[in-house]
């Protein structure tokens, strides 16, 4: 009996072992492949850094639940190709430091940091209903914090998993800047106003693997990549400081055109009070009276000279489609404008440097990947040298009355030295790096899908039919988005937070439907601070929620952004839902109304119209030039 019993036990062990081997092998074959930078629960002892499995329905173990993400450590812009971008016709370089393109992208295409990701087989949410959720906003407000997929609150779920919440050292959980609005829609700008809400801590056990070199928590990631974030109130304070004019200029050296600008600046400072203006809402402006006077004076007197120097395709050849289209549209419209442009440079108040930063990279840097940026910088420096030798205007002000409009992520670095005194209108408006408040201006990122009809498919559902609290979908670019998905992907029915989207027409349509059906659209930074989602949200009448420390939004000099957008600091991502639910319905409706009011200022028209995007960009350059002019 003992021998027979041992045989039966061995046979049973063999059967069990076979089943275990079968299950393990099956699971291995089911793992997704080719997914870069994806956030997922990490197995104990995992060392994967670039291709990571994801399972949102897996139950937490008793060990610390980790998150692994592979980040590309480089200081270049790695941009995702927009789903509708036709830049396949342009051959782009592969970026340095071991970065490879996704299989969906033809080799050589440029990818935008904040574009809708188009990775195939990564996420398919076409079966995810856009119908109203079972709970109302009121019932959600009664909850005790965000919940896990198992129905437990985050705190309860993490306790069950053996995770003890730890208050992050050196990072506060204070609320972001908000605004106050009364029943009449009058907005009082109140930065650093605290929102009363249940605070969720940044838990210690959220390890992230960085290039296989180290494992870091979400807290340490924010400290590493964003050590000194600039708040909105600090940006306001910097903007209000008295600007210092070009060191080479003094009052007695001002030209006739500079003295005209002096006179205009005095008129703006003493502008008559205007309380109502057809088509403009005072609530979305810092000072409507001064804006109207400034705009009218620009329209009346501004003259721009465009340098004829520069060879195509880098100069005088705009790209008007895709993610970097803003610089191309401006170039096209200003070069064809007869109202502002003059042939005699002596009559000009401003001088335009007509190069396309995206075309610059496409054309020149492909031959030398390793030293790509140095090649581009040298090229621009050579151009500046040419116009400085040929004309006296650059040397007179050291370029302070010259301006450029550039949307590529490299533009701040490429122009930092050779064009440092110029007024730079930049999409990558990072005040923590090379962007100078009061001199540079923030350029909107407008993702143009159709040159013939850039305003197609505008608008969205009325507020009463927007059943989704917040929506985001996009690639896992940079350090922030994996943290966003870790806390909010598949956590709450009213929080539609997704990763990359498939590359097909139906998914693009559903993406737009989500924006049109959501109250708030999450605009989380990618590799750089800017994202096209801000303008997309405005197009679809969805209140933008900007999560990008150090980002100065477009036309910050004139707009009161807190009247139509929510700013959430990166460290407050765990509190995101509570922050949004704490906004009263009346205030949300006011903000949505204000979004509609500012739409017109972000529209491209083939024939420019008053207050449209072309005029707003030109006004921002004009206005910042006035800031540099001394009046006494």
């Amino acid at each position: 009996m003992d021998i027979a019993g041992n045989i039966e036990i061995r046979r049973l062990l063999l059967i069990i072992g076979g089943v275990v081997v079968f299950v393990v092998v099956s699971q291995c074959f089911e793992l997704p492949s080719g997914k870069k930078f994806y956030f997922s629960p990490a197995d104990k002892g995992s060392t994967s850094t670039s291709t990571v499995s994801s399972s949102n329905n897996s139950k937490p173990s008793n060990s610390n639940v980790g998150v692994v993400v592979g980040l590309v450590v480089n200081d270049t812009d790695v941009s995702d190709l927009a789903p509708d971008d036709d830049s396949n016709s342009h051959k782009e370089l592969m970026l340095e430091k071991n970065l490879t393109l996704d299989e969906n992208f033809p080799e050589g295409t440029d990818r935008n940091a904040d574009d809708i990701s188009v990775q195939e087989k990564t996420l398919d949410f076409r079966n995810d209903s856009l119908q109203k959720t079972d709970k109302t906003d009121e019932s959600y407000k009664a909850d005790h914090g965000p919940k896990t997929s198992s129905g437990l609150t985050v705190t309860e779920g993490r306790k069950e998993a053996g995770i003890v919440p730890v208050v992050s050292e050196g990072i506060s959980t204070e609320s972001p800047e908000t605004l106050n609005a009364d029943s009449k829609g009058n907005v009082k700008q109140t930065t650093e106003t605290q929102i009363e809400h249940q605070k969720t801590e940044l838990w210690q056990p959220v390890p992230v693997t960085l290039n296989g070199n180290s494992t870091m928590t979400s807290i340490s990631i924010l400290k590493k990549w964003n050590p000194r974030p600039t708040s909105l109130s600090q940006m306001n304070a910097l903007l209000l400081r008295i600007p210092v004019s070009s060191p080479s200029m003094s009052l007695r050296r001002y030209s006739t055109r500079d003295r005209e600008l002096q006179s205009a600046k005095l008129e703006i400072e003493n502008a008559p009070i205007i309380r109502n203006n057809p088509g403009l809402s005072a609530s979305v402006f810092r000072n409507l009276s001064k804006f109207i006077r400034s705009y009218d004076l620009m329209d009346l007197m501004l003259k721009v000279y465009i340098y004829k120097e520069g060879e195509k395709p880098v100069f005088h050849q705009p790209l008007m489609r895709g993610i970097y289209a803003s610089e191309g549209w401006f170039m096209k419209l200003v070069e064809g404008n007869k109202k502002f442009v003059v042939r005699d440079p002596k009559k000009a108040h401003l001088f335009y440097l007509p190069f396309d930063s995206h075309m610059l990279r496409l054309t020149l840097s492909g031959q030398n990947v390793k030293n790509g940026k140095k090649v581009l910088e040298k090229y621009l420096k050579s151009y500046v040298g040419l116009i400085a030798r040929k004309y006296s205007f650059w040397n007179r002000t050291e370029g302070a009355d010259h301006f450029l409009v550039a949307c590529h992520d490299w533009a701040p670095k490429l122009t930092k030295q050779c064009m440092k005194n110029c007024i730079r209108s930049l999409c990558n408006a990072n005040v923590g790096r090379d962007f100078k408040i009061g001199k540079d201006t923030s350029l909107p990122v407008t993702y143009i899908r159709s040159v013939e009809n850039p305003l197609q498919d505008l608008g969205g559902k009325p507020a009463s039919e927007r059943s989704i609290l917040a929506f985001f979908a996009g690639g896992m670019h940079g350090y922030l988005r994996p943290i966003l998905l870790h806390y909010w992907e598949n956590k709450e029915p009213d929080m539609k937070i997704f990763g990359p989207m498939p590359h097909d027409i139906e998914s693009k349509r559903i993406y737009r439907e989500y924006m049109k059906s959501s109250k708030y659209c999450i605009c989380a930074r990618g590799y750089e601070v800017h994202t096209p989602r801000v303008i997309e949200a405005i197009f679809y009448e969805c209140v933008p929620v900007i999560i990008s420390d150090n980002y100065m939004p477009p036309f910050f000099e004139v707009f009161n952004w807190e009247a139509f957008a929510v700013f959430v600091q990166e460290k407050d991502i765990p509190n995101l839902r509570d922050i949004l639910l704490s906004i009263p319905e009346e205030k949300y409706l006011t903000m949505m109304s204000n979004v509609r009011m500012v739409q017109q200022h972000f529209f491209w028209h083939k024939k420019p119209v008053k207050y449209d995007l072309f005029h707003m960009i030109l006004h921002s350059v004009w206005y910042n030039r006035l800031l540099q002019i001394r009046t006494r």
Side-chain angles (χ1 to χ4, degrees):
M1 288 296 293
D2 290 340
I3 296 175
N6 290 336
I7 292 175
E8 289 299 325
I9 291 173
R10 290 178 181 177
R11 191 175 294 171
L12 180 61
L13 290 174
L14 286 173
I15 293 173
I16 294 174
V19 172
V20 170
V21 170
F22 175 78
V23 170
V24 171
V25 172
S26 299
Q27 290 295 324
C28 290
F29 279 109
E30 290 176 3
L31 289 176
S33 62
K35 299 181 184 177
K36 298 181 179 65
F37 321 132
Y38 201 79
F39 222 84
S40 67
D43 293 332
K44 189 174 182 180
S46 173
T47 59
S48 175
T49 61
S50 60
T51 305
V52 187
S53 64
S54 173
S55 178
N56 294 319
N57 298 323
S58 60
K59 295 181 181 180
S61 65
N62 291 332
S63 61
N64 287 348
V65 177
V67 180
V68 175
V69 58
L71 296 178
V72 176
V73 185
N74 61 48
D75 56 358
T76 65
D77 164 58
V78 189
S79 301
D80 268 49
L81 178 64
D84 295 318
D85 199 345
D86 65 347
S87 59
N88 292 351
S89 60
H90 306 297
K91 291 299 179 181
E92 180 77 48
L93 72 160
M94 296 287 289
L95 288 181
E96 52 199 334
K97 299 190 181 177
N98 301 323
L99 179 66
T100 58
L101 298 176
D102 297 324
E103 0 176 284
N104 304 68
F105 297 98
E107 183 178 352
T109 54
D110 193 299
R111 308 185 303 164
N112 183 280
D114 295 286
D115 181 31
I116 307 168
S117 177
V118 295
Q119 297 180 20
E120 298 274 4
K121 304 177 183 178
T122 304
L123 172 69
D124 189 349
F125 48 75
R126 278 172 283 188
N127 295 325
D128 202 331
S129 174
L130 292 176
Q131 298 177 357
K132 292 187 176 181
T133 54
D134 295 331
K135 294 187 178 183
T136 62
D137 285 348
E138 287 74 18
S139 65
Y140 280 127
K141 292 176 183 178
D143 291 347
H144 298 289
K147 296 189 176 182
T148 62
S149 57
S150 62
L152 295 172
T153 64
V154 171
T155 304
E156 292 169 348
R158 290 183 176 273
K159 284 181 178 178
E160 183 183 71
I163 301 175
V164 180
V166 178
V167 178
S168 61
E169 182 180 334
I171 293 187
S172 168
T173 54
E174 292 180 356
S175 309
E177 296 85 4
T178 58
L179 57 90
N180 290 333
D182 56 26
S183 59
K184 297 180 181 179
N186 298 319
V187 178
K188 299 177 182 179
Q189 187 170 331
T190 56
T191 58
E192 306 292 354
T193 301
Q194 300 301 310
I195 299 177
E196 293 298 328
H197 64 278
Q198 177 101 9
K199 290 181 172 59
T200 307
E201 292 131 339
L202 280 171
W203 285 278
Q204 188 73 19
V206 185
V208 176
T209 301
L210 189 65
N211 267 11
N213 296 327
S214 61
T215 299
M216 308 169 66
T217 66
S218 58
I219 299 169
S220 57
I221 286 176
L222 294 180
K223 285 184 178 180
K224 176 178 176 63
W225 293 102
N226 189 17
R228 287 181 288 183
T230 305
S231 68
L232 209 62
S233 61
Q234 290 172 318
M235 293 185 198
N236 284 320
L238 290 171
L239 185 65
L240 294 174
R241 287 181 182 175
I242 299 175
V244 178
S245 60
S246 173
S248 66
M249 292 294 291
S250 63
L251 288 174
R252 58 177 185 266
R253 292 185 62 188
Y254 276 171
S255 67
T256 301
R257 303 301 162 231
D258 291 331
R259 287 193 288 272
E260 290 175 353
L261 295 180
Q262 277 183 309
S263 176
K265 184 175 182 178
L266 286 172
E267 285 195 49
I268 295 169
E269 290 174 349
N270 297 285
I273 296 176
I274 299 176
R275 301 191 183 280
N276 294 300
N277 183 275
L280 297 177
S281 173
S283 62
V284 301
F285 288 92
R286 291 175 177 271
N287 188 313
L288 179 61
S289 302
K290 288 187 177 181
F291 169 74
I292 291 176
R293 189 60 186 139
S294 176
Y295 186 96
D296 289 346
L297 286 171
M298 177 196 76
D299 195 53
L300 178 67
M301 63 185 291
L302 177 62
K303 299 302 176 186
V304 177
Y305 180 76
I306 303 175
Y307 287 107
K308 303 298 187 294
E309 289 72 21
E311 297 181 358
K312 294 182 179 181
V314 174
F315 293 86
H316 308 289
Q317 183 168 313
L319 290 175
M320 300 180 66
R321 191 168 186 261
I323 210 70
Y324 302 115
S326 291
E327 59 184 351
W329 273 80
F330 181 84
M331 182 189 297
K332 178 72 173 179
L333 295 176
V334 75
E335 289 195 323
N337 189 282
K338 295 181 180 180
K339 179 180 179 62
F340 295 111
V341 177
V342 292
R343 294 183 178 182
D344 184 358
K346 293 180 181 179
K347 296 180 179 179
H349 303 94
L350 292 167
F351 298 81
Y352 174 50
L353 305 173
F355 72 94
D356 188 297
S357 63
H358 187 202
M359 185 61 82
L360 173 67
R361 182 185 175 190
L362 290 172
T363 305
L364 298 180
S365 61
Q367 303 299 322
N368 191 339
V369 175
K370 185 176 181 180
N371 299 311
K373 283 189 288 185
K374 291 182 179 180
V375 172
L376 305 188
E377 288 181 57
K378 185 177 180 180
Y379 186 83
L380 291 179
K381 184 178 180 180
S382 173
Y383 177 74
V384 170
L386 171 65
I387 62 174
R389 290 190 300 271
K390 189 172 182 178
Y391 301 90
S392 61
F393 308 103
W394 178 277
N395 294 328
R396 186 179 64 85
T397 64
E398 295 184 358
D401 53 0
H402 289 56
F403 74 97
L404 61 95
V405 177
C407 199
H408 197 278
D409 296 17
W410 283 10
K413 289 181 178 290
L414 298 180
T415 59
K416 181 180 180 180
Q417 295 300 326
C418 63
M419 300 177 181
K420 62 181 179 181
N421 291 327
C422 295
I423 301 169
R424 304 178 304 166
S425 184
L426 303 169
C427 287
N428 191 4
N430 188 340
V431 301
R433 289 189 180 176
D434 303 321
F435 187 89
K436 305 299 180 185
I437 296 179
K439 181 182 74 68
D440 300 329
T441 71
S442 181
L443 179 66
V445 186
T446 54
Y447 176 29
I448 302 298
R449 295 171 174 83
S450 170
V451 177
E452 294 302 316
N453 185 14
L455 303 181
Q456 66 181 4
D457 204 26
L458 291 174
K461 295 181 179 180
S464 59
E465 297 179 18
R466 291 181 179 256
S467 57
I468 300 170
L469 178 65
F471 166 69
F472 173 85
M476 295 297 95
H477 315 138
Y479 64 85
L480 188 70
R481 294 184 185 180
I483 297 175
L484 173 68
L485 260 68
H486 170 71
Y487 282 105
W488 294 112
E489 185 181 30
N490 295 335
K491 295 299 192 299
E492 293 288 346
D494 61 347
M495 296 282 287
K496 304 299 183 183
I497 308 298
F498 304 107
M501 291 180 61
H503 186 59
D504 57 72
I505 295 176
E506 178 65 9
S507 294
K508 297 171 193 173
R509 184 193 67 80
I510 291 179
Y511 177 89
R512 293 192 292 271
E513 284 302 312
Y514 268 115
M515 277 200 155
K516 294 182 177 188
S517 305
S518 301
K519 296 174 69 174
Y520 300 98
C521 289
I522 308 302
C523 308
R525 63 165 292 162
Y527 289 114
E528 299 293 345
V529 293
H530 58 296
T531 166
R533 287 169 182 78
V534 176
I535 308 305
E536 282 183 331
I538 292 174
F539 275 19
Y540 301 132
E541 299 173 1
C542 181
V543 175
V545 178
I546 300 175
I547 311 178
S548 181
D549 294 350
N550 297 329
Y551 176 59
M552 194 177 89
F555 314 133
F556 189 70
E557 317 85 31
V558 297
F559 280 150
N560 171 25
W561 271 84
E562 292 169 293
F564 54 91
V566 178
F567 291 81
V568 175
Q569 291 185 342
E570 294 173 5
K571 65 183 178 61
D572 285 325
I573 284 179
N575 307 317
L576 178 58
R577 184 168 175 272
D578 288 338
I579 290 171
L580 298 181
L581 289 176
S582 71
I583 299 174
E585 183 68 13
E586 184 179 357
K587 182 180 290 186
Y588 161 72
L589 293 174
T590 299
M591 296 177 78
M592 184 179 181
S593 175
N594 288 336
V595 166
R596 295 194 186 102
M597 291 301 299
V598 299
Q599 272 185 332
Q600 61 175 318
H601 305 299
F602 295 98
F603 289 166
W604 287 115
H605 297 278
K606 288 187 176 180
K607 293 183 178 180
V609 300
K610 192 173 186 179
Y611 301 133
D612 70 351
L613 185 50
F614 167 73
H615 284 96
M616 291 300 293
I617 294 171
L618 194 60
H619 177 268
S620 67
V621 175
W622 150 272
Y623 187 84
N624 275 24
R625 176 58 183 152
L626 292 179
L627 288 179
Q628 298 175 30
I629 294 290
R630 296 176 182 175
T631 55
R632 58 184 180 274

